[in-house]
Each structure stands twice: as C-alpha cells, then as structure tokens.
C-alpha cells in the first residue's frame, strides 16, 4: 500500500536521506530501526508531507504523495504520531482525542472511534476529563497513539513510541501496539531506536544508517543477523 522509492532529502548541505526504498503492504507492521541521527524522523516527515524530497517517490495505494501537503495526506487516512508525543497539555484527554478526528471521514465516525480507543486504553477513559499535561509520559504516549487512531487511519505512522519511557512502560506500550496490529487490518510503520522491542511486534524491518538502508528482512531474520545483533541487540 505504501511504496517509497529512491528518496533523497536534505537540510541545506546535510544529506539526511540518500536513496531510501521501502514498502509497507496491506495490514503489515513494518519497523524502521536505527540510531539517533540516522534519518528516521526525516523519512516519516517526508512520507506525511511535512518535508519535501529532492528526489524520489512516495505512493499510497498508487497515488503520488509528493507535493501534497500534510493535511491532504491526513485526509488520505495516514496518521502520524510524532516523536515526543506532542499532545496538547493544556487540553483535556477527550479534547485531544477529538482533535485527532479533524478530517471529514473521521469526524463522521467520531463516536465509534472514541468508543474504540477508550476501550483499547481504559487508562485514558478513566482520565478523559483530566488535562493531558497532568498525565505520566507513558499515558501521554498512549494518548498520542489514541489520537492517531481517531483519524481512522489505513496507515499509522509512529515515531519512536518508546522514547523517554521506563522499560516497563515501553513493554506495556508495545503490548498495546501488538494488540492493535493483531486486531486490525491497518498498516503500521514504526520508527525505533529500541530495536528489540520494535522487532518483537513487526513483521518486517529495515535498518537505516546514515541515510541509507543496507539491511532489511523479516523480523525473525533481523533478530539473528550478525550485524544487527552486534550493533543493535546488545550481544557481544
Ligand atoms: N531541521 C534540521 N536542520 C538541519 N539538520 C537536521 C534537521 N533535522 C534533522 N537534521 C539532521 O538530519 C539527520 C537525520 O535526522 P533525523 O531524521 O532527525 O534522525 P533520527 O530521527 O533518526 O534521529 C541528522 O544528521 C540531523 O542532525
Ligand atoms: Mg527521530
């Protein structure tokens, strides 16, 4: 459903992505893993229309996304959960969720979507009238994911959902993401520095290093790949 080919993105003289190609198929969960500064956020921002590439193509179900703005891409049912959560801390949990359904098709199904995300995240249901900023980091990350789901996405893009969270909270977060993946036909694209946790739920993965992808495969293949093990899985 998502096809990225030969993508090049620069910030002035800094070449952040140098010829990236990847694919996400219907209902698949794909992980892009790599260290800090590898180009992961740049890749996601380009897919969702926040950055323009120098070269290359991004297609969603055959439609060209290059040149479309972030709002048009959201209307095509692509939800981007940004790095660092970015929930509206001075607004209630409920109002944050409602903002996630800002495009017409999502608005038409708002009640249904709210019921779905509040049943998926009972913690948010308990805290729905609380200001988002009063919640823990893990709860805010869950809110950010739930807000993304309010768009009724066919592709959910997540930028480092584990970032800044304690290991036990990361596990709980990924348990939820795995549950979402198993119980829906939505495609997911997850970017992570935490390689083992991302591969634990992804069907396939790509390793992004200095703006290029040299290693990719099924999560099972990557977990036993000697280079991946040495660089990212903490085995010596
Ligand atoms: N706004 C920016 N201006 C200039 N350079 C940037 C900007 N954002 C990112 N970069 C650079 O682009 C490269 C990739 O960054 P990024 O996509 O944020 O990596 P990651 O998300 O994998 O940590 C890095 O070298 C980073 O310093
Ligand atoms: Mg990043």
């Amino acid at each position: 459903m998502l096809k990225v080919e030969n993508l090049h993105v620069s910030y002035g003289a800094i070449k952040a992505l140098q010829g990236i190609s990847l694919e996400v198929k219907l209902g698949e969960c794909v992980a892009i893993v790599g260290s800090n500064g590898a180009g992961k956020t740049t890749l996601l921002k380009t897919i969702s229309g926040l950055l323009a590439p120098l070269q290359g193509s991004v297609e969603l179900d055959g439609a060209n996304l290059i040149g479309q703005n972030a709002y048009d891409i959201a209307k095509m049912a692509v939800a981007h959960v940004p790095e660092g959560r970015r929930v509206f801390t001075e607004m209630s949990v409920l109002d944050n969720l409602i903002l996630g359904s800002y495009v017409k098709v999502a608005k038409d199904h708002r009640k249904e979507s709210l019921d779905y995300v509040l049943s998926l995240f009972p913690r948010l249901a308990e805290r729905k009238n609380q200001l988002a900023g009063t919640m823990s980091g893990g709860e805010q990350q869950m809110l950010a994911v739930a807000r993304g789901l309010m768009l009724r996405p066919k592709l959910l893009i997540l930028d480092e959902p584990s970032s800044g969270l304690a290991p036990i909270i990361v596990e709980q977060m990924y348990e939820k993401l795995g549950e979402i993946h198993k119980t829906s036909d939505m495609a997911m694209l997850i970017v992570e520095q935490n390689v083992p946790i991302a591969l634990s739920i992804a069907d396939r993965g790509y390793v992004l290093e200095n703006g290029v992808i040299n290693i990719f495969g099924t999560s099972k293949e990557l977990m036993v790949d000697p280079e991946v093990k040495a660089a990212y899985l903490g085995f010596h």
Side-chain angles (χ1 to χ4, degrees), residues 11 41 49 58 73 107 142 156 174:
Y11 300 98
T41 296
V58 179
I73 293 174
K107 214 179 277 174
M142 286 183 194
L156 179 68
Y174 267 83

Side-chain angles (χ1 to χ4, degrees), residues 223-234:
M223 279 189 273
V224 297
D225 181 286
E227 279 185 67
V228 175
K229 276 163 81 172
Y232 302 102
L233 299 178

